[in-house]
Each structure stands twice: as C-alpha cells, then as structure tokens.
Amino acid sequence: MNRRRPDGIDPVARSRARRRALQAVYAWQMSGSSAREVVAQFAHEQAKEVADLAYFEDLVHGVDKHRDELDRALKPFLDREIEQVDAIELAVLRIAAYELRHRPDVPYRVVINEAIETVKRFGAEHGHTYVNGVLDHAAAEWRATEVNAARSR
C-alpha cells in the first residue's frame, strides 16, 4: 500500500523520523556528544526502519544549529526555566519549535499533533498536556496567519 501523499511525503516515515529525532536529541542533550555523532549513530538504525532519513537529519541538525534561538523563543511560553523542563519534553519542544519556526512547509497542526503523540509514547504521564499548552501558545504567535485562518474556518 502506498502511503505517500501527492506531494511525495510519506506521513508514516515522517512520524518515524520525528520519533528517532526525539531519541537522538534526547541522547545528545544527555550525553554531551555532538549532534553529528548522534546522527551517525541513529542514521544507521534509521535505515532499517524505512523512515525519512533526510527529515530526521534536518530535525536533529536544525535543533543543534538553532538551539539557543529555539530556547529563547520557547522561554516566554514556559512556566519554568528551560533547565527544569523534563528532558523528553524539552527534546520534543525543541524539535517542534524548530519545525514551527524553520519548516513552514509542515502545517502547525501536524507539528503539534506529532509532538503530543511522541510525548504520550515516550514522556511522563501528563507531559503531553504541558507540551500541548506550550506549543499552542507558540504556534499562535509564530504562525499567527496560519492559526487564525484555521480558527476562522
């Protein structure tokens, strides 16, 4: 069965790439290894899972390259210091913030839904509600035109 959309994107492969990116960003945050080392480690495993390898690499390298900007941008939407955010939730927030700010080709609803599902799978019991709240507020500011258009339908 072909899951690809008319634009050539396979949503299932993208979801797998996001889950792998979460694991890679989490490993990078915890180990202090370079993003390049983590990508190399995960890329080998990634190929076995038929995920979107290019998207995985874009997410991990994008979070690495823009981490300080992403953290500053997320700060107004957090109820605590960034260092106090659960490591899984922080990795998901950074990935989603990267997508919201640097991947306008991905609809904001897709970014938020994927982040919530990923946290439900890997994070704390109620982590998805926190991530949802942060990303809803962030998307309303960062993608105001898109969010407002969706709300007015």
Side-chain angles (χ1 to χ4, degrees), residues 56-85:
F56 161 81
E57 290 179 354
D58 179 59
L59 293 175
V60 178
H61 287 303
V63 169
D64 180 40
K65 180 179 179 183
H66 299 283
R67 181 182 56 188
D68 292 339
E69 171 231 323
L70 298 172
D71 288 356
R72 279 191 307 276
L74 284 166
K75 188 176 171 79
F77 308 108
L78 302 176
D79 64 352
R80 60 195 86 154
E81 294 300 316
I82 202 135
E83 298 81 24
Q84 296 173 320
V85 176

Side-chain angles (χ1 to χ4, degrees), residues 98-118:
Y98 172 75
E99 286 186 288
L100 288 170
R101 294 176 70 83
H102 297 276
R103 294 297 308 241
D105 57 309
V106 181
Y108 84 95
R109 286 184 171 164
V110 170
V111 173
I112 293 173
N113 288 338
E114 289 282 329
I116 291 167
E117 291 306 313
T118 305

